[in-house]
Amino acid sequence: MKVITAIKDMRTEILKQKGLGKTIGFVPTMGFLHEGHLSLISQARQENDIVVLSIFVNPLQFGPNEDFSTYPRDFNRDRSLAEAEKVDYIFYPSVEEMYPYVPSVKVVVQERTDVLCGKSRPGHFDGVATVLTKLFTIIMPTRAYFGKKDAQQVAVVDGLISDFNFPIELIAVDIIREADGLAKSSRNVNLIPEERQQATVLYRSLQSAKNTIDHGEQNPANLICMISEMINRESNGQIDYVEIFSYPQLKPLENLNGTIIIAIAVKFSKVRLIDNLIIQID
Ligand code: PAF
């Protein structure tokens, strides 16, 4: 496995591999790898000749009051995990390498961002789309792997790939959970022990909503109310949103039908957690 920090060196390697006719699976991350990332890498490993993992905490996608400086980082640990997963290249650029000057062009995402995380994180998806545009151009992957945990990101990346005609196949991989249901996230380490226990209510409330739908509930507002009450009752977390939309269009629904997403974001003392369930309703 090679660790590459310079864009021009990464390009040279990619062009060499492409010249040999190799397919390239790309897993973009901000590091502090957990099992969710490892499942993306493992799928990329199975489906491609070469696997490139990027580790870059992208300042453009953090708001002024967000956790850019405290976002967990541990490169040595990430390197060992990547090596064990048989990654071929880690692309690990510095902020100065990726943004040597204030960018003269940024990507602006115009659809599917005024809801869910996009609503409370203005500019977040512009930052994600801008860095991915750079990374896609540098890595030129055959396939790019993203977790369904951030379902809105998957929808936005789908738009980015098709709008900009990137010849890349988007692969969305299922959410990986702890034994108690909490969705794996690099940010979970910032939960204090009491909150870690309470955080299981996110997934339990989603399951409970699914159960209620299975028993005939059709009204999104009733479900949102039920989920919110459960989260407020069983945790000290502050609800950022509980929303139900069509998926992947992310449009409001009067009645439940087709493919829907139930999505939640809850703020704990030092961390904000997200989770979702995508359900097909016949
Ligand atoms: O999901 C993430 O970790 C980031 O948003 C990504 C896709 C690596 C872009 O910085």
Side-chain angles (χ1 to χ4, degrees):
M1 185 180 76
K2 283 191 184 167
V3 177
I4 296 184
T5 56
I7 293 170
K8 70 170 176 16
D9 296 343
M10 191 71 246
R11 274 246 170 78
T12 306
E13 291 291 332
I14 294 291
L15 290 173
K16 186 177 84 188
Q17 298 296 353
K18 291 229 164 204
L20 295 170
K22 307 281 188 193
T23 56
I24 294 171
F26 175 41
V27 183
T29 78
M30 299 203 298
F32 212 73
L33 304 180
H34 54 69
E35 282 173 55
H37 296 118
L38 300 186
S39 76
L40 304 184
I41 297 171
S42 152
Q43 192 165 332
R45 181 68 286 165
Q46 285 164 36
E47 296 175 352
N48 301 276
D49 300 318
I50 298 294
V51 175
V52 181
L53 171 75
S54 66
I55 296 179
F56 178 64
V57 185
N58 172 36
L60 282 195
Q61 68 190 75
F62 289 79
N65 299 317
E66 292 183 355
D67 58 349
F68 175 69
S69 59
T70 57
Y71 193 86
R73 294 161 168 91
D74 187 344
F75 181 70
N76 289 335
R77 179 177 161 278
D78 288 346
R79 180 169 44 197
S80 309
L81 289 169
E83 191 133 45
E85 292 294 323
K86 303 197 170 13
V87 164
D88 297 288
Y89 298 99
I90 298 183
F91 180 50
Y92 182 50
S94 63
V95 172
E96 294 69 35
E97 178 71 6
M98 289 294 277
Y99 306 117
Y101 43 80
V102 177
S104 59
V105 178
K106 280 187 191 169
V107 178
V108 177
V109 184
Q110 309 200 87
E111 293 283 331
R112 303 174 181 181
T113 54
D114 56 345
V115 294
L116 306 177
C117 294
K119 194 167 70 179
S120 56
R121 304 183 74 187
H124 167 72
F125 285 110
D126 295 349
V128 171
T130 301
V131 79
L132 286 176
T133 300
K134 287 174 74 82
L135 290 168
F136 287 166
T137 309
I138 296 163
I139 314 280
M140 296 181 267
T142 318
R143 300 181 185 87
Y145 294 78
F146 292 85
K148 284 188 192 163
K149 176 159 173 283
D150 195 340
Q152 188 172 18
Q153 177 164 272
V154 172
V156 166
V157 174
D158 185 54
L160 174 70
I161 287 178
S162 55
D163 287 5
F164 284 6
N165 307 98
F166 283 110
I168 299 172
E169 188 184 348
L170 168 61
I171 311 282
V173 179
D174 284 341
I175 297 176
I176 303 289
R177 299 182 178 280
E178 304 284 357
D180 61 11
L182 179 66
K184 303 238 182 198
S185 162
S186 308
R187 292 186 164 100
N188 290 350
V189 294
N190 289 330
L191 289 165
I192 58 173
E194 188 195 357
E195 292 174 338
R196 170 63 188 81
Q197 274 197 320
Q198 294 176 358
T200 60
V201 73
L202 272 74
Y203 187 51
R204 283 187 289 108
S205 69
L206 290 171
Q207 283 181 309
S208 179
K210 166 140 188 2
N211 209 16
T212 311
I213 294 169
D214 290 344
H215 283 87
E217 180 61 77
Q218 287 273 314
N219 184 333
N222 292 345
L223 290 162
I224 289 171
C225 202
M226 192 204 88
I227 295 169
S228 305
E229 276 174 14
M230 189 166 168
I231 294 172
N232 285 333
R233 197 171 54 239
E234 298 187 29
S235 82
N236 299 329
Q238 245 200 320
I239 295 176
D240 190 348
Y241 61 73
V242 175
E243 300 199 84
I244 300 181
F245 293 115
S246 60
Y247 193 82
Q249 302 80 3
L250 302 183
K251 296 286 179 211
L253 293 160
E254 300 223 330
N255 282 305
L256 302 182
N257 60 63
T259 307
I260 64 148
I261 181 166
I262 310 176
I264 299 176
V266 178
K267 282 183 193 151
F268 288 89
S269 58
K270 284 188 265 172
V271 63
R272 176 178 168 283
L273 300 183
I274 57 170
D275 202 349
N276 72 72
L277 208 55
I278 295 173
I279 309 172
Q280 175 63 42
I281 298 177
D282 301 318

